[in-house]
Amino acid sequence: RGETEELEGPNLRHDARFELKDIVQGKVIWTRDFQKDVPAYSFDEFSGRLVFFWRLGGESGKARLKELPELKAKADALGNKFDDYLVEVVDAFAQKTVGTMLLETGMGSFHVGRGISEGDWLVLRDSEGRVLVYSIATGEVRHRFFGDTAAINPRRNQIVVENFPGEVELYDLD
């Protein structure tokens, strides 16, 4: 379509609701409304955690950051934060936020993609072909691995990362 012609149908990037439903019992377990911009997100099917990503340079990222005074102070100390992220991990089954943190990108040198989360761990895949492991409690990056797909064993603090197609490595997160 032409640049000036609007697309028809619902816009899934604005005024949206996320719902987690128990299809067996036919009931809604958790909902969250986004009145303006919908953040980027990733859903961990195994743990039932949602990972939301807001760019701090965007209006919705700035608005969300204002709601979190403890993180706003940290963000103000970062300096150039336009390409950094505010990340929120939500346990949809428990209906609560597990943690919220800032993620520095080195002035936009990488972007984050899908994420998984178990226990205190947040594992993100970035645009540079790395698996980044963060502590949700501290917000600090704890490990960086080259690879694509990862799985966490939170009871043993282990992660398995597919470094090359069909080749996996097991790492101890301690």
Side-chain angles (χ1 to χ4, degrees):
R1 297 183 174 206
E3 288 181 17
T4 59
E5 188 176 323
E6 289 187 311
L7 297 174
E8 295 179 20
N11 183 340
L12 300 178
R13 300 299 304 158
H14 302 284
D15 299 321
R17 170 180 279 181
F18 279 70
E19 288 186 346
L20 179 65
K21 291 184 178 181
D22 180 335
I23 60 171
V24 174
Q25 296 183 15
K27 68 177 185 174
V28 175
I29 297 172
W30 175 87
T31 63
R32 178 132 176 217
D33 292 318
F34 293 97
Q35 298 300 321
K36 295 187 180 185
D37 294 335
V38 176
Y41 66 93
S42 183
F43 182 67
D44 184 339
E45 298 92 4
F46 184 76
S47 69
R49 288 184 175 183
L50 278 156
V51 182
F52 292 110
F53 307 96
W54 287 269
R55 283 288 181 100
L56 291 181
E59 291 305 314
S60 61
K62 290 175 186 175
R64 181 70 179 117
L65 190 59
K66 285 180 184 177
E67 298 170 7
L68 304 162
E70 69 281 356
L71 286 182
K72 174 127 178 46
K74 285 183 183 180
D76 291 343
L78 288 179
N80 182 0
K81 57 187 177 290
F82 184 83
D83 290 314
D84 294 339
Y85 293 91
L86 172 65
V87 180
E88 181 179 2
V89 180
V90 176
D91 185 329
F93 292 117
Q95 302 177 22
K96 68 176 186 172
T97 295
V98 175
T100 309
M101 56 185 252
L102 297 174
L103 191 147
E104 293 183 83
T105 64
M107 297 181 67
S109 62
F110 68 91
H111 305 285
V112 293
R114 72 178 176 263
I116 59 173
S117 178
E118 288 279 348
D120 182 44
W121 302 111
L122 172 61
V123 178
L124 302 172
R125 184 180 183 285
D126 76 5
S127 59
E128 298 299 310
R130 299 177 297 185
V131 172
L132 308 173
V133 181
Y134 292 86
S135 164
I136 297 171
T138 66
E140 295 176 10
V141 63
R142 298 286 302 274
H143 302 281
R144 292 177 185 89
F145 305 107
F146 286 103
D148 183 42
T149 305
I152 309 167
N153 179 342
R155 290 191 178 127
R156 293 198 166 177
N157 282 331
Q158 296 174 325
I159 187 170
V160 64
V161 178
E162 183 178 39
N163 303 102
F164 298 99
E167 183 179 310
V168 296
E169 295 279 337
L170 177 66
Y171 298 100
D172 184 342
L173 293 173
D174 291 326

